Amino acid sequence: PTQGGSVGYFPTKKFKLSVDSATVVNNGTVPIELANQILPAIEWTIDANLITKNNYILLDMLATNNWERPVYFAITTGKDSYIGLEEYFQLEGLAYRLIPIRSQNSDGQIGRVDTDIMYDNMMNKFRWGNMNNPEVYLSEDNIRLAMNFRNNFSRLANALLDENKTDSAITVLDKCFEVMPENTVPFNFYVFPIAEHYYRAGATEKANELALRLIELSEQELQYYFKFKKYGNLIDREKQFALGILQRINQVAARYNQEDISKKAEEVFNNYYQLYLTK
Protein backbone atom coordinates (compact mmCIF):
# COMPACT_ATOMS: atom_id res chain seq x y z
CA PRO A 1 0.00 0.00 0.00
CA THR A 2 1.05 3.57 -0.65
CA GLN A 3 -0.77 6.77 0.22
CA GLY A 4 -3.93 4.87 0.95
CA GLY A 5 -3.81 2.88 -2.32
CA SER A 6 -2.22 -0.32 -3.50
CA VAL A 7 0.36 -1.32 -6.07
CA GLY A 8 -0.19 -4.22 -8.44
CA TYR A 9 2.80 -6.37 -9.26
CA PHE A 10 3.97 -9.41 -11.18
CA PRO A 11 5.73 -11.93 -8.92
CA THR A 12 8.21 -12.76 -11.70
CA LYS A 13 10.13 -11.29 -14.63
CA LYS A 14 9.77 -14.49 -16.65
CA PHE A 15 6.83 -14.96 -19.01
CA LYS A 16 5.51 -17.74 -21.22
CA LEU A 17 3.00 -17.76 -24.07
CA SER A 18 1.70 -21.10 -25.34
CA VAL A 19 1.55 -21.80 -29.08
CA ASP A 20 -0.91 -23.94 -31.02
CA SER A 21 1.08 -24.99 -34.08
CA ALA A 22 -2.04 -25.72 -36.17
CA THR A 23 -3.40 -22.22 -35.51
CA VAL A 24 -0.22 -20.35 -36.49
CA VAL A 25 0.17 -22.38 -39.68
CA ASN A 26 -3.48 -22.13 -40.73
CA ASN A 27 -3.67 -18.36 -40.26
CA GLY A 28 -0.36 -17.70 -42.02
CA THR A 29 1.67 -16.60 -39.02
CA VAL A 30 4.22 -19.29 -39.91
CA PRO A 31 4.58 -20.73 -43.44
CA ILE A 32 4.21 -24.46 -43.72
CA GLU A 33 7.87 -24.92 -44.67
CA LEU A 34 8.91 -23.56 -41.25
CA ALA A 35 6.39 -25.62 -39.29
CA ASN A 36 9.12 -27.83 -37.89
CA GLN A 37 10.66 -24.78 -36.16
CA ILE A 38 7.51 -23.77 -34.28
CA LEU A 39 8.02 -23.77 -30.53
CA PRO A 40 5.41 -25.19 -28.13
CA ALA A 41 5.65 -21.89 -26.25
CA ILE A 42 7.68 -18.70 -26.37
CA GLU A 43 9.46 -17.83 -23.15
CA TRP A 44 11.11 -14.53 -22.34
CA THR A 45 12.26 -12.27 -19.54
CA ILE A 46 11.33 -8.63 -19.01
CA ASP A 47 14.53 -7.13 -17.69
CA ALA A 48 12.97 -4.22 -15.82
CA ASN A 49 11.94 -3.36 -12.30
CA LEU A 50 8.54 -2.06 -13.25
CA ILE A 51 5.86 -2.51 -15.90
CA THR A 52 4.42 0.65 -17.40
CA LYS A 53 0.85 0.87 -18.63
CA ASN A 54 1.74 0.53 -22.31
CA ASN A 55 3.65 -2.69 -21.61
CA TYR A 56 0.88 -3.97 -19.38
CA ILE A 57 -1.57 -3.44 -22.25
CA LEU A 58 0.78 -5.29 -24.58
CA LEU A 59 0.99 -8.25 -22.22
CA ASP A 60 -2.79 -8.33 -22.01
CA MET A 61 -3.05 -8.28 -25.82
CA LEU A 62 -0.62 -11.17 -26.14
CA ALA A 63 -2.45 -13.20 -23.51
CA THR A 64 -5.90 -12.73 -25.06
CA ASN A 65 -4.98 -12.72 -28.76
CA ASN A 66 -3.98 -16.40 -28.73
CA TRP A 67 -2.08 -15.99 -32.03
CA GLU A 68 -5.32 -15.26 -33.90
CA ARG A 69 -4.26 -11.86 -35.26
CA PRO A 70 -0.77 -10.68 -36.26
CA VAL A 71 1.23 -8.65 -33.74
CA TYR A 72 3.75 -6.16 -35.09
CA PHE A 73 6.38 -3.87 -33.54
CA ALA A 74 7.79 -0.81 -35.33
CA ILE A 75 11.51 -1.01 -36.10
CA THR A 76 11.98 2.62 -35.01
CA THR A 77 10.96 2.23 -31.37
CA GLY A 78 13.44 1.57 -28.61
CA LYS A 79 14.11 -1.90 -27.23
CA ASP A 80 12.09 -1.10 -24.12
CA SER A 81 8.96 -1.35 -26.27
CA TYR A 82 9.87 -4.91 -27.27
CA ILE A 83 9.70 -6.16 -23.63
CA GLY A 84 12.35 -8.80 -24.31
CA LEU A 85 10.61 -10.50 -27.26
CA GLU A 86 13.30 -9.77 -29.85
CA GLU A 87 14.31 -13.40 -30.24
CA TYR A 88 10.86 -14.08 -31.72
CA PHE A 89 10.79 -11.23 -34.26
CA GLN A 90 10.57 -11.54 -38.03
CA LEU A 91 11.59 -8.52 -40.10
CA GLU A 92 9.14 -7.78 -42.92
CA GLY A 93 9.92 -4.16 -43.76
CA LEU A 94 9.37 -1.31 -41.33
CA ALA A 95 8.01 -3.65 -38.68
CA TYR A 96 8.85 -6.85 -36.87
CA ARG A 97 6.20 -9.54 -36.67
CA LEU A 98 6.01 -11.70 -33.56
CA ILE A 99 6.29 -15.36 -34.53
CA PRO A 100 6.77 -18.54 -32.44
CA ILE A 101 10.20 -19.24 -33.92
CA ARG A 102 13.43 -18.30 -32.15
CA SER A 103 16.15 -16.54 -34.12
CA GLN A 104 19.53 -15.13 -33.13
CA ASN A 105 21.92 -13.07 -35.25
CA SER A 106 25.67 -12.95 -34.74
CA ASP A 107 25.79 -9.34 -36.02
CA GLY A 108 23.51 -8.00 -33.29
CA GLN A 109 20.60 -7.28 -35.63
CA ILE A 110 17.07 -8.06 -34.48
CA GLY A 111 14.89 -10.79 -35.97
CA ARG A 112 14.99 -13.24 -38.86
CA VAL A 113 14.28 -11.92 -42.36
CA ASP A 114 11.39 -13.30 -44.39
CA THR A 115 12.81 -12.59 -47.82
CA ASP A 116 9.57 -13.22 -49.74
CA ILE A 117 7.45 -10.86 -47.68
CA MET A 118 10.14 -8.23 -47.23
CA TYR A 119 11.14 -8.20 -50.89
CA ASP A 120 7.53 -7.64 -51.95
CA ASN A 121 7.12 -4.86 -49.40
CA MET A 122 10.39 -3.03 -50.07
CA MET A 123 10.41 -3.41 -53.84
CA ASN A 124 6.73 -3.30 -54.81
CA LYS A 125 4.45 -2.02 -52.08
CA PHE A 126 6.31 0.77 -50.32
CA ARG A 127 6.17 4.32 -51.67
CA TRP A 128 9.25 6.34 -50.84
CA GLY A 129 7.85 9.87 -50.84
CA ASN A 130 10.26 11.60 -53.22
CA MET A 131 13.29 10.99 -51.02
CA ASN A 132 15.35 11.01 -54.22
CA ASN A 133 14.17 14.49 -55.18
CA PRO A 134 16.75 17.16 -54.20
CA GLU A 135 13.98 19.77 -54.15
CA VAL A 136 12.22 17.96 -51.30
CA TYR A 137 13.55 19.10 -47.93
CA LEU A 138 14.71 16.34 -45.61
CA SER A 139 15.25 17.41 -42.02
CA GLU A 140 17.88 15.92 -39.75
CA ASP A 141 15.22 13.61 -38.35
CA ASN A 142 14.23 12.47 -41.85
CA ILE A 143 17.83 11.71 -42.75
CA ARG A 144 18.43 9.85 -39.50
CA LEU A 145 15.30 7.78 -40.12
CA ALA A 146 16.57 6.98 -43.61
CA MET A 147 19.42 5.05 -42.00
CA ASN A 148 16.80 2.52 -40.88
CA PHE A 149 15.61 2.19 -44.47
CA ARG A 150 19.12 1.69 -45.82
CA ASN A 151 19.79 -0.89 -43.14
CA ASN A 152 16.63 -2.72 -44.19
CA PHE A 153 17.76 -2.87 -47.81
CA SER A 154 21.12 -4.14 -46.59
CA ARG A 155 19.59 -6.83 -44.38
CA LEU A 156 17.27 -7.98 -47.13
CA ALA A 157 20.12 -8.24 -49.64
CA ASN A 158 22.24 -10.16 -47.16
CA ALA A 159 19.42 -12.63 -46.50
CA LEU A 160 18.88 -13.09 -50.23
CA LEU A 161 22.58 -13.81 -50.68
CA ASP A 162 22.31 -16.43 -47.94
CA GLU A 163 19.62 -18.05 -50.08
CA ASN A 164 21.83 -17.83 -53.20
CA LYS A 165 19.47 -15.31 -54.85
CA THR A 166 22.27 -13.12 -56.14
CA ASP A 167 20.36 -11.28 -58.87
CA SER A 168 17.58 -10.34 -56.45
CA ALA A 169 20.13 -9.12 -53.91
CA ILE A 170 21.78 -6.80 -56.46
CA THR A 171 18.36 -5.49 -57.50
CA VAL A 172 17.60 -4.68 -53.85
CA LEU A 173 20.92 -2.85 -53.37
CA ASP A 174 20.39 -0.87 -56.57
CA LYS A 175 16.90 0.08 -55.39
CA CYS A 176 18.34 1.43 -52.17
CA PHE A 177 20.36 4.07 -53.99
CA GLU A 178 17.58 4.72 -56.48
CA VAL A 179 15.20 5.86 -53.74
CA MET A 180 17.88 7.33 -51.41
CA PRO A 181 20.81 8.65 -53.47
CA GLU A 182 23.76 10.37 -51.85
CA ASN A 183 22.74 13.83 -53.07
CA THR A 184 19.61 13.72 -50.89
CA VAL A 185 20.58 11.28 -48.11
CA PRO A 186 24.32 11.65 -47.40
CA PHE A 187 26.49 8.59 -46.98
CA ASN A 188 27.87 7.64 -43.60
CA PHE A 189 29.44 4.71 -41.72
CA TYR A 190 26.30 2.60 -42.04
CA VAL A 191 26.41 2.56 -45.84
CA PHE A 192 29.45 0.32 -46.08
CA PRO A 193 27.60 -2.98 -45.46
CA ILE A 194 25.88 -2.31 -48.79
CA ALA A 195 29.27 -2.17 -50.51
CA GLU A 196 30.21 -5.38 -48.75
CA HIS A 197 27.07 -7.08 -50.08
CA TYR A 198 27.89 -5.84 -53.59
CA TYR A 199 31.30 -7.51 -53.26
CA ARG A 200 29.69 -10.71 -52.03
CA ALA A 201 27.22 -10.65 -54.94
CA GLY A 202 30.02 -10.26 -57.48
CA ALA A 203 29.05 -6.67 -58.39
CA THR A 204 32.66 -5.61 -57.87
CA GLU A 205 32.53 -2.40 -59.90
CA LYS A 206 29.60 -1.06 -57.89
CA ALA A 207 31.27 -2.10 -54.65
CA ASN A 208 34.54 -0.37 -55.57
CA GLU A 209 32.77 2.81 -56.58
CA LEU A 210 31.02 2.96 -53.23
CA ALA A 211 34.16 2.05 -51.29
CA LEU A 212 36.20 4.78 -52.99
CA ARG A 213 33.52 7.35 -52.22
CA LEU A 214 33.47 6.33 -48.57
CA ILE A 215 37.27 6.57 -48.38
CA GLU A 216 37.05 10.07 -49.82
CA LEU A 217 34.35 11.12 -47.37
CA SER A 218 36.16 9.61 -44.39
CA GLU A 219 39.35 11.47 -45.29
CA GLN A 220 37.44 14.75 -45.61
CA GLU A 221 35.80 14.20 -42.23
CA LEU A 222 39.11 13.37 -40.53
CA GLN A 223 40.76 16.45 -42.02
CA TYR A 224 38.00 18.53 -40.47
CA TYR A 225 37.97 16.77 -37.10
CA PHE A 226 41.72 17.11 -36.57
CA LYS A 227 41.51 20.87 -37.04
CA PHE A 228 40.03 21.05 -33.56
CA LYS A 229 42.97 21.08 -31.19
CA LYS A 230 41.51 22.38 -27.96
CA TYR A 231 38.21 20.49 -28.01
CA GLY A 232 39.16 17.50 -30.14
CA ASN A 233 38.28 15.07 -27.37
CA LEU A 234 34.61 16.09 -27.70
CA ILE A 235 34.46 14.57 -31.18
CA ASP A 236 36.47 11.47 -30.37
CA ARG A 237 33.52 9.23 -31.28
CA GLU A 238 33.29 10.79 -34.75
CA LYS A 239 37.00 10.25 -35.29
CA GLN A 240 36.67 6.60 -34.31
CA PHE A 241 33.77 6.09 -36.72
CA ALA A 242 35.73 7.58 -39.63
CA LEU A 243 38.82 5.53 -38.79
CA GLY A 244 36.67 2.44 -38.32
CA ILE A 245 35.15 2.60 -41.78
CA LEU A 246 38.61 2.97 -43.36
CA GLN A 247 39.81 -0.08 -41.47
CA ARG A 248 36.77 -2.07 -42.53
CA ILE A 249 37.12 -1.07 -46.18
CA ASN A 250 40.75 -2.15 -46.05
CA GLN A 251 39.83 -5.57 -44.66
CA VAL A 252 36.85 -6.28 -46.90
CA ALA A 253 38.51 -5.04 -50.12
CA ALA A 254 41.51 -7.24 -49.36
CA ARG A 255 39.22 -10.22 -48.82
CA TYR A 256 37.77 -9.73 -52.31
CA ASN A 257 41.23 -9.15 -53.88
CA GLN A 258 40.69 -5.45 -54.54
CA GLU A 259 44.27 -4.47 -53.68
CA ASP A 260 44.13 -0.88 -54.91
CA ILE A 261 41.06 -0.11 -52.81
CA SER A 262 42.50 -1.89 -49.80
CA LYS A 263 45.83 -0.07 -50.06
CA LYS A 264 44.20 3.35 -50.43
CA ALA A 265 42.02 2.81 -47.35
CA GLU A 266 45.05 1.59 -45.40
CA GLU A 267 47.13 4.64 -46.34
CA VAL A 268 44.47 7.12 -45.25
CA PHE A 269 43.85 5.15 -42.07
CA ASN A 270 47.53 5.05 -41.13
CA ASN A 271 47.98 8.79 -41.72
CA TYR A 272 45.18 9.76 -39.38
CA TYR A 273 45.61 6.96 -36.88
CA GLN A 274 49.06 8.30 -36.11
CA LEU A 275 47.50 11.71 -35.48
CA TYR A 276 44.89 10.04 -33.29
CA LEU A 277 47.56 8.36 -31.19
CA THR A 278 49.40 11.65 -30.64
CA LYS A 279 46.33 13.76 -29.87
Side-chain angles (χ1 to χ4, degrees):
T2 174
Q3 297 181 351
S6 61
V7 176
Y9 70 94
F10 288 109
T12 180
K13 293 184 177 183
K14 297 183 180 297
F15 295 84
K16 178 179 179 180
L17 184 63
S18 298
V19 179
D20 184 292
S21 58
T23 297
V24 296
V25 169
N26 291 336
N27 65 19
T29 300
V30 177
I32 187 65
E33 60 267 22
L34 297 180
N36 64 329
Q37 299 183 40
I38 297 173
L39 299 169
I42 64 171
E43 300 180 16
W44 76 99
T45 300
I46 298 180
D47 188 19
N49 293 323
L50 57 88
I51 295 289
T52 54
K53 287 184 178 180
N54 60 317
N55 291 336
Y56 187 84
I57 292 170
L58 174 56
L59 287 170
D60 182 64
M61 288 173 58
L62 294 175
T64 57
N65 182 49
N66 198 30
W67 300 99
E68 293 175 0
R69 293 175 65 85
V71 176
Y72 283 92
F73 295 79
I75 68 170
T76 51
T77 60
K79 283 194 173 183
D80 289 345
S81 300
Y82 303 151
I83 62 169
L85 289 164
E86 295 94 322
E87 282 189 333
Y88 306 100
F89 282 178
Q90 174 174 278
L91 182 62
E92 297 183 0
L94 300 181
Y96 301 111
R97 182 171 182 169
L98 183 68
I99 62 171
I101 294 175
R102 181 182 284 110
S103 63
Q104 292 181 326
N105 300 312
S106 59
D107 60 0
Q109 300 268 26
I110 295 175
R112 68 180 299 275
V113 175
D114 187 304
T115 54
D116 290 338
I117 295 174
M118 193 170 176
Y119 186 94
D120 190 35
N121 284 337
M122 300 285 289
M123 302 297 290
N124 301 319
K125 292 183 178 179
F126 288 178
R127 298 293 177 264
W128 296 97
N130 289 322
M131 294 176 69
N132 58 354
N133 185 347
E135 296 183 3
V136 173
Y137 172 70
L138 297 178
S139 69
E140 182 181 350
D141 288 336
N142 296 140
I143 291 175
R144 187 164 53 249
L145 186 63
M147 297 304 103
N148 289 291
F149 302 151
R150 277 184 175 157
N151 184 57
N152 271 11
F153 278 112
S154 177
R155 290 199 64 190
L156 175 57
N158 188 51
L160 288 166
L161 288 170
D162 288 342
E163 297 175 0
N164 296 316
K165 298 177 180 177
T166 304
D167 291 343
S168 294
I170 293 174
T171 300
V172 165
L173 297 174
D174 290 347
K175 180 75 171 182
C176 177
F177 294 124
E178 175 189 329
V179 300
M180 289 176 289
E182 183 189 8
N183 67 328
T184 59
V185 182
F187 289 169
N188 63 10
F189 177 87
Y190 301 101
V191 171
F192 185 68
I194 297 177
E196 190 168 358
H197 299 329
Y198 270 134
Y199 277 129
R200 186 180 169 197
T204 304
E205 185 176 338
K206 293 179 179 181
N208 284 342
E209 181 180 352
L210 185 53
L212 284 170
R213 179 58 177 153
L214 289 172
I215 292 172
E216 180 183 16
L217 291 172
S218 297
E219 185 172 20
Q220 291 174 2
E221 290 172 3
L222 289 166
Q223 286 176 348
Y224 176 73
Y225 296 149
F226 280 99
K227 288 180 180 180
F228 294 88
K229 303 298 183 183
K230 186 175 181 181
Y231 301 105
N233 62 312
L234 299 178
I235 52 174
D236 193 67
R237 181 173 178 270
E238 285 75 11
K239 293 176 183 177
Q240 290 181 15
F241 268 118
L243 288 168
I245 192 171
L246 289 167
Q247 192 173 41
R248 189 168 176 186
I249 293 171
N250 170 34
Q251 295 167 347
V252 173
R255 187 190 313 154
Y256 289 96
N257 300 314
Q258 301 303 303
E259 295 181 4
D260 290 343
I261 304 291
S262 177
K263 184 178 179 180
K264 185 173 182 61
E266 183 180 25
E267 289 175 351
V268 177
F269 172 83
N270 287 337
N271 289 339
Y272 285 96
Y273 187 60
Q274 293 304 314
L275 287 176
Y276 184 79
L277 292 176
T278 58
K279 62 181 179 178

